[in-house]
Amino acid sequence: MHLSGNITRGVFFCVRAYATLFLSEEERNEHMLSKIITYGIWGTKSFKIDLETNISRGIPEFNVVGQGDVSIKEARVRVRTAINNSGYKFPNGRIAVNLAPAGLRKEGAFLDLPMAVGILAAGGEVKCSCINKCAIIGELSLNGSVRPSVGVLIRLAQAAKDGALHAIIPCENANEALNVKELNVFPVRSLKEAVSILNSITVKTQGMNRGCLDKWGNMEAQSNEDKLRNDE
């Protein structure tokens, strides 16, 4: 049994080394790095998380480190599927995601959206000049839609204290997010919307205000009513 395990590991590393032989020196050293800002909750306080993503050449793998709980480890499935179903290509390489600071435990699926954005940013799909001033929060469905997260108000209040300018958050959390006056709030319904907004904003871009939110909510309600009528 022990010998069989050693043989299996030996074969794996031989295959990896063999595959590397076909890469040029430039390709072996090539890597893409991004950093996304999000916020976790510890007790009654929120803390900043630097979500660092590195994509390098090699046999495909996707690892998340930095004391994430089970839901964060499961995020690898949600994020990969959401990226593919949103029309983007999931990178074919070695992906390492680091949740810093590593000493604090992170819990919940709120890291799905920032993780997906981090991977797309490292791969060149997201090109935002002020991404280091954007706090991103949200859970992803497999189809790429964004689900609401808990504790958005406390997270964004801390983000504002830390000097963030913008917040990308789920639409369902927009009402509470707008209580943080210091931030430009951008509610999103999908990963694709988040990418579109990030690729268009600058440090001076204004977010949604409460008047726009009310108007947007009325439009959504009207749209839902029209769908119901059509279904009948």
Side-chain angles (χ1 to χ4, degrees), residues 38 40-42 47-53 62-73 76 95-108 110-111 115:
T38 187
I41 293 179
W42 183 260
F47 63 95
K48 181 181 177 183
I49 299 172
D50 288 329
L51 192 151
E52 302 166 326
T53 303
F62 184 5
N63 295 312
V64 180
V65 298
Q67 284 211 56
D69 69 352
V70 174
S71 63
I72 291 173
K73 295 183 185 302
R76 291 176 297 180
I95 301 173
V97 175
N98 180 45
L99 309 175
L104 289 177
R105 187 161 181 77
K106 295 88 182 174
E107 299 178 346
F110 70 96
L111 282 166
M115 198 179 298

PDB file of all heavy atoms in Angstrom, residues 38 40-42 47-53 62-73 76 95-108 110-111 115:
ATOM      1  N   THR A  38     -11.144  43.053  -0.084  1.00  0.00           N
ATOM      2  CA  THR A  38     -12.467  42.705   0.439  1.00  0.00           C
ATOM      3  C   THR A  38     -12.393  42.751   1.960  1.00  0.00           C
ATOM      4  O   THR A  38     -11.338  43.054   2.521  1.00  0.00           O
ATOM      5  CB  THR A  38     -12.931  41.330  -0.075  1.00  0.00           C
ATOM      6  OG1 THR A  38     -14.285  41.115   0.318  1.00  0.00           O
ATOM      7  CG2 THR A  38     -12.064  40.209   0.446  1.00  0.00           C
ATOM      8  N   GLY A  40     -13.579  40.873   5.764  1.00  0.00           N
ATOM      9  CA  GLY A  40     -14.147  39.797   6.557  1.00  0.00           C
ATOM     10  C   GLY A  40     -14.707  40.332   7.860  1.00  0.00           C
ATOM     11  O   GLY A  40     -14.585  41.524   8.163  1.00  0.00           O
ATOM     12  N   ILE A  41     -15.323  39.440   8.632  1.00  0.00           N
ATOM     13  CA  ILE A  41     -15.877  39.825   9.937  1.00  0.00           C
ATOM     14  C   ILE A  41     -15.279  38.912  11.009  1.00  0.00           C
ATOM     15  O   ILE A  41     -15.231  37.682  10.846  1.00  0.00           O
ATOM     16  CB  ILE A  41     -17.414  39.727   9.948  1.00  0.00           C
ATOM     17  CG1 ILE A  41     -18.008  40.781   9.017  1.00  0.00           C
ATOM     18  CG2 ILE A  41     -17.960  39.900  11.364  1.00  0.00           C
ATOM     19  CD1 ILE A  41     -19.527  40.756   8.934  1.00  0.00           C
ATOM     20  N   TRP A  42     -14.803  39.546  12.071  1.00  0.00           N
ATOM     21  CA  TRP A  42     -14.262  38.820  13.214  1.00  0.00           C
ATOM     22  C   TRP A  42     -14.970  39.326  14.466  1.00  0.00           C
ATOM     23  O   TRP A  42     -14.710  40.436  14.909  1.00  0.00           O
ATOM     24  CB  TRP A  42     -12.756  39.026  13.309  1.00  0.00           C
ATOM     25  CG  TRP A  42     -12.092  38.251  14.418  1.00  0.00           C
ATOM     26  CD1 TRP A  42     -11.712  38.715  15.639  1.00  0.00           C
ATOM     27  CD2 TRP A  42     -11.754  36.866  14.410  1.00  0.00           C
ATOM     28  NE1 TRP A  42     -11.145  37.727  16.387  1.00  0.00           N
ATOM     29  CE2 TRP A  42     -11.162  36.571  15.656  1.00  0.00           C
ATOM     30  CE3 TRP A  42     -11.905  35.841  13.459  1.00  0.00           C
ATOM     31  CZ2 TRP A  42     -10.715  35.300  15.989  1.00  0.00           C
ATOM     32  CZ3 TRP A  42     -11.456  34.580  13.791  1.00  0.00           C
ATOM     33  CH2 TRP A  42     -10.874  34.315  15.036  1.00  0.00           C
ATOM     34  N   PHE A  47     -12.464  43.338   9.168  1.00  0.00           N
ATOM     35  CA  PHE A  47     -11.035  43.504   8.889  1.00  0.00           C
ATOM     36  C   PHE A  47     -10.778  43.361   7.389  1.00  0.00           C
ATOM     37  O   PHE A  47     -11.490  42.661   6.678  1.00  0.00           O
ATOM     38  CB  PHE A  47     -10.197  42.492   9.679  1.00  0.00           C
ATOM     39  CG  PHE A  47     -10.461  41.048   9.317  1.00  0.00           C
ATOM     40  CD1 PHE A  47      -9.671  40.394   8.394  1.00  0.00           C
ATOM     41  CD2 PHE A  47     -11.513  40.354   9.906  1.00  0.00           C
ATOM     42  CE1 PHE A  47      -9.912  39.069   8.071  1.00  0.00           C
ATOM     43  CE2 PHE A  47     -11.763  39.028   9.587  1.00  0.00           C
ATOM     44  CZ  PHE A  47     -10.964  38.378   8.661  1.00  0.00           C
ATOM     45  N   LYS A  48      -9.751  44.050   6.946  1.00  0.00           N
ATOM     46  CA  LYS A  48      -9.386  44.071   5.526  1.00  0.00           C
ATOM     47  C   LYS A  48      -8.707  42.765   5.122  1.00  0.00           C
ATOM     48  O   LYS A  48      -7.861  42.237   5.847  1.00  0.00           O
ATOM     49  CB  LYS A  48      -8.454  45.250   5.251  1.00  0.00           C
ATOM     50  CG  LYS A  48      -8.011  45.395   3.811  1.00  0.00           C
ATOM     51  CD  LYS A  48      -7.062  46.586   3.688  1.00  0.00           C
ATOM     52  CE  LYS A  48      -6.513  46.739   2.288  1.00  0.00           C
ATOM     53  NZ  LYS A  48      -5.551  47.858   2.200  1.00  0.00           N
ATOM     54  N   ILE A  49      -9.091  42.259   3.948  1.00  0.00           N
ATOM     55  CA  ILE A  49      -8.455  41.075   3.375  1.00  0.00           C
ATOM     56  C   ILE A  49      -7.848  41.453   2.031  1.00  0.00           C
ATOM     57  O   ILE A  49      -8.537  41.966   1.152  1.00  0.00           O
ATOM     58  CB  ILE A  49      -9.467  39.933   3.166  1.00  0.00           C
ATOM     59  CG1 ILE A  49     -10.079  39.499   4.498  1.00  0.00           C
ATOM     60  CG2 ILE A  49      -8.797  38.736   2.482  1.00  0.00           C
ATOM     61  CD1 ILE A  49     -11.218  38.501   4.341  1.00  0.00           C
ATOM     62  N   ASP A  50      -6.564  41.223   1.898  1.00  0.00           N
ATOM     63  CA  ASP A  50      -5.896  41.370   0.602  1.00  0.00           C
ATOM     64  C   ASP A  50      -5.957  40.016  -0.092  1.00  0.00           C
ATOM     65  O   ASP A  50      -5.289  39.065   0.330  1.00  0.00           O
ATOM     66  CB  ASP A  50      -4.446  41.807   0.776  1.00  0.00           C
ATOM     67  CG  ASP A  50      -4.331  43.246   1.232  1.00  0.00           C
ATOM     68  OD1 ASP A  50      -5.197  44.053   0.884  1.00  0.00           O
ATOM     69  OD2 ASP A  50      -3.351  43.571   1.942  1.00  0.00           O
ATOM     70  N   LEU A  51      -6.769  39.931  -1.137  1.00  0.00           N
ATOM     71  CA  LEU A  51      -6.913  38.683  -1.875  1.00  0.00           C
ATOM     72  C   LEU A  51      -5.946  38.712  -3.056  1.00  0.00           C
ATOM     73  O   LEU A  51      -6.177  39.386  -4.046  1.00  0.00           O
ATOM     74  CB  LEU A  51      -8.358  38.518  -2.341  1.00  0.00           C
ATOM     75  CG  LEU A  51      -8.764  37.155  -2.888  1.00  0.00           C
ATOM     76  CD1 LEU A  51     -10.244  36.884  -2.639  1.00  0.00           C
ATOM     77  CD2 LEU A  51      -8.478  37.044  -4.385  1.00  0.00           C
ATOM     78  N   GLU A  52      -4.848  37.993  -2.908  1.00  0.00           N
ATOM     79  CA  GLU A  52      -3.790  37.971  -3.924  1.00  0.00           C
ATOM     80  C   GLU A  52      -3.948  36.737  -4.802  1.00  0.00           C
ATOM     81  O   GLU A  52      -4.114  35.627  -4.291  1.00  0.00           O
ATOM     82  CB  GLU A  52      -2.419  37.950  -3.258  1.00  0.00           C
ATOM     83  CG  GLU A  52      -2.179  39.129  -2.330  1.00  0.00           C
ATOM     84  CD  GLU A  52      -0.980  38.945  -1.428  1.00  0.00           C
ATOM     85  OE1 GLU A  52      -0.720  37.781  -1.020  1.00  0.00           O
ATOM     86  OE2 GLU A  52      -0.305  39.933  -1.128  1.00  0.00           O
ATOM     87  N   THR A  53      -3.901  36.948  -6.099  1.00  0.00           N
ATOM     88  CA  THR A  53      -4.041  35.838  -7.048  1.00  0.00           C
ATOM     89  C   THR A  53      -2.828  35.794  -7.968  1.00  0.00           C
ATOM     90  O   THR A  53      -2.453  36.802  -8.564  1.00  0.00           O
ATOM     91  CB  THR A  53      -5.308  36.002  -7.905  1.00  0.00           C
ATOM     92  OG1 THR A  53      -6.450  36.087  -7.049  1.00  0.00           O
ATOM     93  CG2 THR A  53      -5.480  34.813  -8.848  1.00  0.00           C
ATOM     94  N   PHE A  62      -5.765  24.675  -8.712  1.00  0.00           N
ATOM     95  CA  PHE A  62      -6.406  25.868  -8.137  1.00  0.00           C
ATOM     96  C   PHE A  62      -6.384  25.708  -6.619  1.00  0.00           C
ATOM     97  O   PHE A  62      -7.130  24.914  -6.061  1.00  0.00           O
ATOM     98  CB  PHE A  62      -7.838  25.964  -8.680  1.00  0.00           C
ATOM     99  CG  PHE A  62      -8.611  27.192  -8.252  1.00  0.00           C
ATOM    100  CD1 PHE A  62      -8.025  28.217  -7.512  1.00  0.00           C
ATOM    101  CD2 PHE A  62      -9.950  27.336  -8.606  1.00  0.00           C
ATOM    102  CE1 PHE A  62      -8.744  29.332  -7.128  1.00  0.00           C
ATOM    103  CE2 PHE A  62     -10.689  28.453  -8.231  1.00  0.00           C
ATOM    104  CZ  PHE A  62     -10.082  29.448  -7.485  1.00  0.00           C
ATOM    105  N   ASN A  63      -5.515  26.463  -5.968  1.00  0.00           N
ATOM    106  CA  ASN A  63      -5.357  26.356  -4.520  1.00  0.00           C
ATOM    107  C   ASN A  63      -5.687  27.677  -3.834  1.00  0.00           C
ATOM    108  O   ASN A  63      -5.356  28.752  -4.341  1.00  0.00           O
ATOM    109  CB  ASN A  63      -3.929  25.953  -4.166  1.00  0.00           C
ATOM    110  CG  ASN A  63      -3.585  24.560  -4.659  1.00  0.00           C
ATOM    111  OD1 ASN A  63      -4.345  23.618  -4.458  1.00  0.00           O
ATOM    112  ND2 ASN A  63      -2.447  24.425  -5.331  1.00  0.00           N
ATOM    113  N   VAL A  64      -6.347  27.582  -2.673  1.00  0.00           N
ATOM    114  CA  VAL A  64      -6.677  28.752  -1.857  1.00  0.00           C
ATOM    115  C   VAL A  64      -6.048  28.549  -0.480  1.00  0.00           C
ATOM    116  O   VAL A  64      -6.301  27.544   0.180  1.00  0.00           O
ATOM    117  CB  VAL A  64      -8.201  28.941  -1.705  1.00  0.00           C
ATOM    118  CG1 VAL A  64      -8.501  30.170  -0.857  1.00  0.00           C
ATOM    119  CG2 VAL A  64      -8.858  29.061  -3.078  1.00  0.00           C
ATOM    120  N   VAL A  65      -5.218  29.503  -0.061  1.00  0.00           N
ATOM    121  CA  VAL A  65      -4.566  29.418   1.246  1.00  0.00           C
ATOM    122  C   VAL A  65      -4.877  30.677   2.051  1.00  0.00           C
ATOM    123  O   VAL A  65      -5.266  31.700   1.506  1.00  0.00           O
ATOM    124  CB  VAL A  65      -3.033  29.253   1.103  1.00  0.00           C
ATOM    125  CG1 VAL A  65      -2.695  27.961   0.389  1.00  0.00           C
ATOM    126  CG2 VAL A  65      -2.414  30.440   0.355  1.00  0.00           C
ATOM    127  N   GLY A  66      -4.719  30.579   3.378  1.00  0.00           N
ATOM    128  CA  GLY A  66      -4.954  31.742   4.222  1.00  0.00           C
ATOM    129  C   GLY A  66      -6.079  31.568   5.215  1.00  0.00           C
ATOM    130  O   GLY A  66      -6.819  32.508   5.505  1.00  0.00           O
ATOM    131  N   GLN A  67      -6.241  30.353   5.750  1.00  0.00           N
ATOM    132  CA  GLN A  67      -7.242  30.068   6.789  1.00  0.00           C
ATOM    133  C   GLN A  67      -8.676  30.345   6.354  1.00  0.00           C
ATOM    134  O   GLN A  67      -9.424  31.063   7.027  1.00  0.00           O
ATOM    135  CB  GLN A  67      -6.935  30.854   8.075  1.00  0.00           C
ATOM    136  CG  GLN A  67      -5.799  30.277   8.892  1.00  0.00           C
ATOM    137  CD  GLN A  67      -5.985  30.514  10.379  1.00  0.00           C
ATOM    138  OE1 GLN A  67      -6.996  30.137  10.941  1.00  0.00           O
ATOM    139  NE2 GLN A  67      -5.003  31.135  10.999  1.00  0.00           N
ATOM    140  N   GLY A  68      -9.075  29.786   5.230  1.00  0.00           N
ATOM    141  CA  GLY A  68     -10.469  29.875   4.811  1.00  0.00           C
ATOM    142  C   GLY A  68     -11.258  28.685   5.330  1.00  0.00           C
ATOM    143  O   GLY A  68     -10.713  27.590   5.467  1.00  0.00           O
ATOM    144  N   ASP A  69     -12.541  28.869   5.632  1.00  0.00           N
ATOM    145  CA  ASP A  69     -13.356  27.761   6.115  1.00  0.00           C
ATOM    146  C   ASP A  69     -13.821  26.902   4.932  1.00  0.00           C
ATOM    147  O   ASP A  69     -13.392  27.093   3.790  1.00  0.00           O
ATOM    148  CB  ASP A  69     -14.535  28.273   6.943  1.00  0.00           C
ATOM    149  CG  ASP A  69     -15.574  28.997   6.107  1.00  0.00           C
ATOM    150  OD1 ASP A  69     -15.316  29.242   4.910  1.00  0.00           O
ATOM    151  OD2 ASP A  69     -16.647  29.329   6.642  1.00  0.00           O
ATOM    152  N   VAL A  70     -14.702  25.937   5.215  1.00  0.00           N
ATOM    153  CA  VAL A  70     -15.142  24.994   4.185  1.00  0.00           C
ATOM    154  C   VAL A  70     -15.808  25.700   3.011  1.00  0.00           C
ATOM    155  O   VAL A  70     -15.575  25.364   1.852  1.00  0.00           O
ATOM    156  CB  VAL A  70     -16.113  23.948   4.793  1.00  0.00           C
ATOM    157  CG1 VAL A  70     -16.689  23.058   3.697  1.00  0.00           C
ATOM    158  CG2 VAL A  70     -15.393  23.096   5.825  1.00  0.00           C
ATOM    159  N   SER A  71     -16.654  26.706   3.293  1.00  0.00           N
ATOM    160  CA  SER A  71     -17.362  27.408   2.214  1.00  0.00           C
ATOM    161  C   SER A  71     -16.394  28.129   1.283  1.00  0.00           C
ATOM    162  O   SER A  71     -16.658  28.262   0.085  1.00  0.00           O
ATOM    163  CB  SER A  71     -18.371  28.406   2.798  1.00  0.00           C
ATOM    164  OG  SER A  71     -17.715  29.412   3.536  1.00  0.00           O
ATOM    165  N   ILE A  72     -15.272  28.587   1.828  1.00  0.00           N
ATOM    166  CA  ILE A  72     -14.274  29.269   1.004  1.00  0.00           C
ATOM    167  C   ILE A  72     -13.499  28.256   0.169  1.00  0.00           C
ATOM    168  O   ILE A  72     -13.176  28.513  -0.990  1.00  0.00           O
ATOM    169  CB  ILE A  72     -13.334  30.116   1.886  1.00  0.00           C
ATOM    170  CG1 ILE A  72     -14.130  31.294   2.469  1.00  0.00           C
ATOM    171  CG2 ILE A  72     -12.138  30.623   1.092  1.00  0.00           C
ATOM    172  CD1 ILE A  72     -13.388  32.126   3.482  1.00  0.00           C
ATOM    173  N   LYS A  73     -13.222  27.089   0.727  1.00  0.00           N
ATOM    174  CA  LYS A  73     -12.559  26.041  -0.050  1.00  0.00           C
ATOM    175  C   LYS A  73     -13.480  25.555  -1.169  1.00  0.00           C
ATOM    176  O   LYS A  73     -13.036  25.244  -2.276  1.00  0.00           O
ATOM    177  CB  LYS A  73     -12.150  24.885   0.867  1.00  0.00           C
ATOM    178  CG  LYS A  73     -11.093  25.278   1.902  1.00  0.00           C
ATOM    179  CD  LYS A  73     -10.653  24.106   2.737  1.00  0.00           C
ATOM    180  CE  LYS A  73      -9.699  24.541   3.841  1.00  0.00           C
ATOM    181  NZ  LYS A  73      -8.496  25.212   3.347  1.00  0.00           N
ATOM    182  N   ARG A  76     -13.914  27.302  -4.920  1.00  0.00           N
ATOM    183  CA  ARG A  76     -13.187  26.965  -6.151  1.00  0.00           C
ATOM    184  C   ARG A  76     -14.139  26.428  -7.225  1.00  0.00           C
ATOM    185  O   ARG A  76     -14.003  26.757  -8.404  1.00  0.00           O
ATOM    186  CB  ARG A  76     -12.087  25.935  -5.850  1.00  0.00           C
ATOM    187  CG  ARG A  76     -10.951  26.492  -5.010  1.00  0.00           C
ATOM    188  CD  ARG A  76      -9.938  25.437  -4.658  1.00  0.00           C
ATOM    189  NE  ARG A  76     -10.518  24.383  -3.830  1.00  0.00           N
ATOM    190  CZ  ARG A  76      -9.834  23.339  -3.377  1.00  0.00           C
ATOM    191  NH1 ARG A  76      -8.550  23.210  -3.681  1.00  0.00           N
ATOM    192  NH2 ARG A  76     -10.426  22.432  -2.624  1.00  0.00           N
ATOM    193  N   ILE A  95      -3.129  28.184 -10.432  1.00  0.00           N
ATOM    194  CA  ILE A  95      -3.713  29.356  -9.779  1.00  0.00           C
ATOM    195  C   ILE A  95      -3.535  29.234  -8.266  1.00  0.00           C
ATOM    196  O   ILE A  95      -3.923  28.230  -7.661  1.00  0.00           O
ATOM    197  CB  ILE A  95      -5.210  29.496 -10.108  1.00  0.00           C
ATOM    198  CG1 ILE A  95      -5.407  29.627 -11.620  1.00  0.00           C
ATOM    199  CG2 ILE A  95      -5.818  30.687  -9.381  1.00  0.00           C
ATOM    200  CD1 ILE A  95      -6.860  29.593 -12.050  1.00  0.00           C
ATOM    201  N   ALA A  96      -2.933  30.256  -7.687  1.00  0.00           N
ATOM    202  CA  ALA A  96      -2.768  30.305  -6.232  1.00  0.00           C
ATOM    203  C   ALA A  96      -3.439  31.566  -5.714  1.00  0.00           C
ATOM    204  O   ALA A  96      -3.143  32.672  -6.176  1.00  0.00           O
ATOM    205  CB  ALA A  96      -1.287  30.307  -5.858  1.00  0.00           C
ATOM    206  N   VAL A  97      -4.364  31.391  -4.770  1.00  0.00           N
ATOM    207  CA  VAL A  97      -5.056  32.525  -4.155  1.00  0.00           C
ATOM    208  C   VAL A  97      -4.662  32.579  -2.684  1.00  0.00           C
ATOM    209  O   VAL A  97      -4.811  31.594  -1.958  1.00  0.00           O
ATOM    210  CB  VAL A  97      -6.586  32.385  -4.287  1.00  0.00           C
ATOM    211  CG1 VAL A  97      -7.292  33.515  -3.535  1.00  0.00           C
ATOM    212  CG2 VAL A  97      -7.000  32.386  -5.753  1.00  0.00           C
ATOM    213  N   ASN A  98      -4.154  33.725  -2.265  1.00  0.00           N
ATOM    214  CA  ASN A  98      -3.742  33.915  -0.869  1.00  0.00           C
ATOM    215  C   ASN A  98      -4.651  34.938  -0.201  1.00  0.00           C
ATOM    216  O   ASN A  98      -4.869  36.030  -0.722  1.00  0.00           O
ATOM    217  CB  ASN A  98      -2.286  34.394  -0.802  1.00  0.00           C
ATOM    218  CG  ASN A  98      -1.833  34.594   0.633  1.00  0.00           C
ATOM    219  OD1 ASN A  98      -2.085  33.763   1.495  1.00  0.00           O
ATOM    220  ND2 ASN A  98      -1.164  35.705   0.887  1.00  0.00           N
ATOM    221  N   LEU A  99      -5.189  34.556   0.966  1.00  0.00           N
ATOM    222  CA  LEU A  99      -6.060  35.447   1.730  1.00  0.00           C
ATOM    223  C   LEU A  99      -5.261  36.010   2.903  1.00  0.00           C
ATOM    224  O   LEU A  99      -5.060  35.329   3.910  1.00  0.00           O
ATOM    225  CB  LEU A  99      -7.285  34.672   2.242  1.00  0.00           C
ATOM    226  CG  LEU A  99      -8.051  33.849   1.188  1.00  0.00           C
ATOM    227  CD1 LEU A  99      -9.160  33.055   1.854  1.00  0.00           C
ATOM    228  CD2 LEU A  99      -8.601  34.761   0.101  1.00  0.00           C
ATOM    229  N   ALA A 100      -4.799  37.242   2.752  1.00  0.00           N
ATOM    230  CA  ALA A 100      -3.972  37.852   3.797  1.00  0.00           C
ATOM    231  C   ALA A 100      -4.804  38.865   4.599  1.00  0.00           C
ATOM    232  O   ALA A 100      -5.657  39.547   4.030  1.00  0.00           O
ATOM    233  CB  ALA A 100      -2.782  38.558   3.154  1.00  0.00           C
ATOM    234  N   PRO A 101      -4.602  38.913   5.929  1.00  0.00           N
ATOM    235  CA  PRO A 101      -3.571  38.215   6.697  1.00  0.00           C
ATOM    236  C   PRO A 101      -3.910  36.745   6.942  1.00  0.00           C
ATOM    237  O   PRO A 101      -5.070  36.413   7.231  1.00  0.00           O
ATOM    238  CB  PRO A 101      -3.544  38.994   8.018  1.00  0.00           C
ATOM    239  CG  PRO A 101      -4.931  39.534   8.156  1.00  0.00           C
ATOM    240  CD  PRO A 101      -5.391  39.845   6.765  1.00  0.00           C
ATOM    241  N   ALA A 102      -2.896  35.896   6.843  1.00  0.00           N
ATOM    242  CA  ALA A 102      -3.108  34.462   6.983  1.00  0.00           C
ATOM    243  C   ALA A 102      -3.463  34.061   8.415  1.00  0.00           C
ATOM    244  O   ALA A 102      -4.025  32.997   8.647  1.00  0.00           O
ATOM    245  CB  ALA A 102      -1.856  33.709   6.537  1.00  0.00           C
ATOM    246  N   GLY A 103      -3.166  34.921   9.374  1.00  0.00           N
ATOM    247  CA  GLY A 103      -3.400  34.586  10.778  1.00  0.00           C
ATOM    248  C   GLY A 103      -4.841  34.679  11.230  1.00  0.00           C
ATOM    249  O   GLY A 103      -5.184  34.186  12.304  1.00  0.00           O
ATOM    250  N   LEU A 104      -5.718  35.300  10.430  1.00  0.00           N
ATOM    251  CA  LEU A 104      -7.134  35.436  10.797  1.00  0.00           C
ATOM    252  C   LEU A 104      -8.000  34.502   9.955  1.00  0.00           C
ATOM    253  O   LEU A 104      -7.829  34.420   8.735  1.00  0.00           O
ATOM    254  CB  LEU A 104      -7.601  36.881  10.595  1.00  0.00           C
ATOM    255  CG  LEU A 104      -7.058  37.920  11.580  1.00  0.00           C
ATOM    256  CD1 LEU A 104      -7.551  39.306  11.193  1.00  0.00           C
ATOM    257  CD2 LEU A 104      -7.474  37.587  13.007  1.00  0.00           C
ATOM    258  N   ARG A 105      -8.916  33.812  10.601  1.00  0.00           N
ATOM    259  CA  ARG A 105      -9.796  32.883   9.894  1.00  0.00           C
ATOM    260  C   ARG A 105     -10.880  33.641   9.127  1.00  0.00           C
ATOM    261  O   ARG A 105     -11.445  34.607   9.635  1.00  0.00           O
ATOM    262  CB  ARG A 105     -10.444  31.916  10.886  1.00  0.00           C
ATOM    263  CG  ARG A 105     -11.247  30.814  10.204  1.00  0.00           C
ATOM    264  CD  ARG A 105     -11.473  29.644  11.127  1.00  0.00           C
ATOM    265  NE  ARG A 105     -12.226  28.571  10.498  1.00  0.00           N
ATOM    266  CZ  ARG A 105     -11.716  27.709   9.625  1.00  0.00           C
ATOM    267  NH1 ARG A 105     -10.443  27.789   9.276  1.00  0.00           N
ATOM    268  NH2 ARG A 105     -12.468  26.755   9.104  1.00  0.00           N
ATOM    269  N   LYS A 106     -11.146  33.184   7.909  1.00  0.00           N
ATOM    270  CA  LYS A 106     -12.185  33.788   7.070  1.00  0.00           C
ATOM    271  C   LYS A 106     -13.326  32.806   6.894  1.00  0.00           C
ATOM    272  O   LYS A 106     -13.099  31.631   6.606  1.00  0.00           O
ATOM    273  CB  LYS A 106     -11.633  34.170   5.688  1.00  0.00           C
ATOM    274  CG  LYS A 106     -10.572  35.265   5.710  1.00  0.00           C
ATOM    275  CD  LYS A 106      -9.194  34.675   5.905  1.00  0.00           C
ATOM    276  CE  LYS A 106      -8.124  35.755   5.975  1.00  0.00           C
ATOM    277  NZ  LYS A 106      -6.809  35.197   6.316  1.00  0.00           N
ATOM    278  N   GLU A 107     -14.559  33.300   7.040  1.00  0.00           N
ATOM    279  CA  GLU A 107     -15.733  32.443   6.955  1.00  0.00           C
ATOM    280  C   GLU A 107     -16.779  33.029   6.023  1.00  0.00           C
ATOM    281  O   GLU A 107     -16.998  34.239   6.012  1.00  0.00           O
ATOM    282  CB  GLU A 107     -16.347  32.254   8.353  1.00  0.00           C
ATOM    283  CG  GLU A 107     -15.413  31.605   9.355  1.00  0.00           C
ATOM    284  CD  GLU A 107     -16.029  31.483  10.739  1.00  0.00           C
ATOM    285  OE1 GLU A 107     -17.060  32.144  10.982  1.00  0.00           O
ATOM    286  OE2 GLU A 107     -15.482  30.739  11.565  1.00  0.00           O
ATOM    287  N   GLY A 108     -17.436  32.163   5.266  1.00  0.00           N
ATOM    288  CA  GLY A 108     -18.532  32.602   4.418  1.00  0.00           C
ATOM    289  C   GLY A 108     -18.175  32.634   2.943  1.00  0.00           C
ATOM    290  O   GLY A 108     -17.012  32.557   2.555  1.00  0.00           O
ATOM    291  N   PHE A 110     -18.708  35.149   0.905  1.00  0.00           N
ATOM    292  CA  PHE A 110     -18.576  36.521   0.407  1.00  0.00           C
ATOM    293  C   PHE A 110     -17.328  36.713  -0.453  1.00  0.00           C
ATOM    294  O   PHE A 110     -17.197  37.708  -1.170  1.00  0.00           O
ATOM    295  CB  PHE A 110     -18.521  37.501   1.588  1.00  0.00           C
ATOM    296  CG  PHE A 110     -17.254  37.429   2.393  1.00  0.00           C
ATOM    297  CD1 PHE A 110     -16.213  38.302   2.151  1.00  0.00           C
ATOM    298  CD2 PHE A 110     -17.094  36.458   3.388  1.00  0.00           C
ATOM    299  CE1 PHE A 110     -15.035  38.230   2.881  1.00  0.00           C
ATOM    300  CE2 PHE A 110     -15.934  36.377   4.122  1.00  0.00           C
ATOM    301  CZ  PHE A 110     -14.890  37.263   3.871  1.00  0.00           C
ATOM    302  N   LEU A 111     -16.409  35.759  -0.389  1.00  0.00           N
ATOM    303  CA  LEU A 111     -15.160  35.867  -1.154  1.00  0.00           C
ATOM    304  C   LEU A 111     -15.287  35.383  -2.598  1.00  0.00           C
ATOM    305  O   LEU A 111     -14.348  35.525  -3.379  1.00  0.00           O
ATOM    306  CB  LEU A 111     -14.049  35.076  -0.451  1.00  0.00           C
ATOM    307  CG  LEU A 111     -13.412  35.754   0.761  1.00  0.00           C
ATOM    308  CD1 LEU A 111     -12.596  34.754   1.564  1.00  0.00           C
ATOM    309  CD2 LEU A 111     -12.538  36.918   0.329  1.00  0.00           C
ATOM    310  N   MET A 115     -12.821  36.744  -5.492  1.00  0.00           N
ATOM    311  CA  MET A 115     -11.917  35.715  -6.002  1.00  0.00           C
ATOM    312  C   MET A 115     -12.016  35.607  -7.526  1.00  0.00           C
ATOM    313  O   MET A 115     -10.999  35.521  -8.223  1.00  0.00           O
ATOM    314  CB  MET A 115     -12.236  34.371  -5.352  1.00  0.00           C
ATOM    315  CG  MET A 115     -11.129  33.348  -5.466  1.00  0.00           C
ATOM    316  SD  MET A 115     -11.546  31.762  -4.662  1.00  0.00           S
ATOM    317  CE  MET A 115     -11.737  32.297  -2.947  1.00  0.00           C
TER     318      MET A 115
END
